[in-house]
Amino acid sequence: MKKTVAFISHADCGRHDTGWGHPEHVGRLRAIPRALRNDVALYESLDHLEGRHADADEIALAHDAAYIAGVRALAARGGGSLDADTVESAGSWDAATAGAGCVLDGVDLALAGETVRSFSAVRPPGHHALRGSAMGFCLFGNVAIAAHYARAVKQLDRVLILDWDVHHGNGTQALVEHDPNIRFVSMHQWPWYPGTGAADDRGPKHSVWNVPLPPALPRERYVGEFLGAVDRATSGFTPDLVIISAGFDSLAGDPLGGFTMELDDVTRLTREMVSRAEQWCGGRVVSALEGGYAPDRLGEAAVTHMRALL
Ligand SMILES: [Zn+2]
């Protein structure tokens, strides 16, 4: 049977050891295959793949070489602290390069034609990482690297990045906002960490659509505001590839966010993006995990998301 959706992961993503007291711990990833085992039909419908490691040249599509070398060297020394809430362990270089590589494999697959959609269950997450520094649990901007890879290596004309994590994708914005052919939509809680992402921050090329919203709104408001921003971002811009920063900390009950979305909203948003991608670009959707800090909830949300990608 032809499989259109891949579930991409890499065992090395579990080697980024932040400690169980850290919200971004390895149990988050383990919750996804655990939840997936409860849906045998979905499990059998997916193409299960182990991604590759991105190499330093690929990561340099979005990051400074000196920073990349520093991340590698710190892991080689056994790890340490990068900022107040971002740490490395001995396995963090392998984890972070695997995380980016899984998403690059998602791009390769989408462009090869058959498995046009994928979800990469990766950590550390990526959307806060800056060009020359780690930030907010993130080492490398997995999604931004993938967008530049799609443009520079795969020669795509236009890429759309959608970020529904409860936090502003400040790193992604910083890493892509100078290329007007990469458009970025981020919906996030406001005011909230990291404090960026005002609605009037459109980036230097006006290629950014920020949707800051208060917590505790009726859940359909988040879906409606997000879809409205996607419509504005794609007016006169037909993407060749859609990349999703799938943060599930926008679901009700997340310890690091106050949005109220439910699993049905994950289904709705995912289906809307798939149906638009069908019209734009043969249904190509490359999705990557960002936040989500209630592990069981994260597992259910990822499974719901993959079901809707099918
Ligand atoms: Zn987040």
Side-chain angles (χ1 to χ4, degrees):
M1 190 183 76
K2 181 183 155 190
K3 296 190 173 176
T4 56
V5 177
F7 174 49
I8 309 176
S9 59
H10 197 297
D12 279 350
C13 289
R15 295 177 54 223
H16 175 56
D17 182 5
T18 53
W20 288 104
H22 193 286
E24 201 290 287
H25 58 66
V26 64
R28 299 176 59 241
L29 277 196
R30 292 181 189 161
I32 298 172
R34 197 165 62 230
L36 187 53
R37 279 196 291 273
N38 295 326
D39 187 335
V40 175
L42 174 63
Y43 186 94
E44 290 177 349
S45 303
L46 298 169
D47 198 1
H48 297 256
L49 300 172
E50 179 159 90
R52 62 188 160 104
H53 290 96
D55 63 33
D57 287 342
E58 290 168 332
I59 294 167
L61 290 165
H63 293 281
D64 290 338
Y67 168 62
I68 298 166
V71 170
R72 183 174 212 159
L74 185 60
R77 292 198 300 273
S81 246
L82 288 163
D83 77 4
D85 47 24
T86 313
V87 297
E88 276 191 68
S89 66
S92 293
W93 168 260
D94 290 340
T97 53
C102 286
V103 189
L104 295 181
D105 271 357
V107 174
D108 288 343
L109 282 169
L111 298 180
E114 206 152 271
T115 310
V116 290
R117 287 186 289 285
S118 58
F119 172 68
S120 286
V122 296
R123 62 183 287 280
H127 73 154
H128 298 305
L130 299 170
R131 183 166 296 280
S133 61
M135 183 174 166
F137 313 163
C138 302
L139 298 183
F140 298 137
N142 305 322
V143 157
I145 293 166
H148 286 297
Y149 174 81
R151 291 267 296 125
V153 179
K154 295 295 179 176
Q155 316 279 320
L156 293 189
D157 291 326
R158 287 171 296 275
V159 177
L160 176 66
I161 303 176
L162 306 173
D163 185 330
W164 65 57
D165 188 282
V166 78
H167 305 100
H168 177 228
N170 65 300
T172 303
Q173 177 173 335
L175 297 177
V176 305
E177 69 182 357
H178 296 284
D179 181 350
N181 291 314
I182 302 175
R183 291 196 173 182
F184 179 54
V185 176
S186 177
M187 177 176 71
H188 40 270
Q189 187 170 329
W190 179 275
W192 201 237
Y193 182 88
T196 49
D200 63 0
D201 177 6
R202 301 287 320 285
K205 310 280 188 186
H206 300 273
S207 54
V208 174
W209 281 260
N210 278 313
V211 185
L213 292 171
L217 292 176
R219 62 191 181 98
E220 60 274 14
R221 274 288 303 284
Y222 299 109
V223 174
E225 294 277 352
F226 187 81
L227 295 176
V230 173
D231 287 342
R232 292 193 294 283
T234 54
S235 162
F237 180 93
T238 304
D240 300 304
L241 174 69
V242 177
I243 306 180
I244 298 177
S245 262
F248 297 116
D249 46 10
S250 42
L251 295 181
D254 192 275
L256 299 190
F259 279 8
T260 55
M261 296 204 307
E262 294 293 339
L263 295 175
D264 283 350
D265 301 314
V266 172
T267 301
R268 167 100 195 277
L269 282 179
T270 307
R271 284 192 180 152
E272 289 278 355
M273 293 314 112
V274 169
S275 94
R276 286 163 206 228
E278 298 277 6
Q279 293 165 32
W280 294 327
C281 53
R284 294 170 184 157
V285 177
V286 171
S287 179
L289 180 65
E290 297 284 358
Y293 301 99
D296 288 342
R297 184 85 157 149
L298 162 64
E300 289 297 328
V303 166
T304 300
H305 181 49
M306 287 191 277
R307 202 179 289 126
L309 284 174
L310 272 173

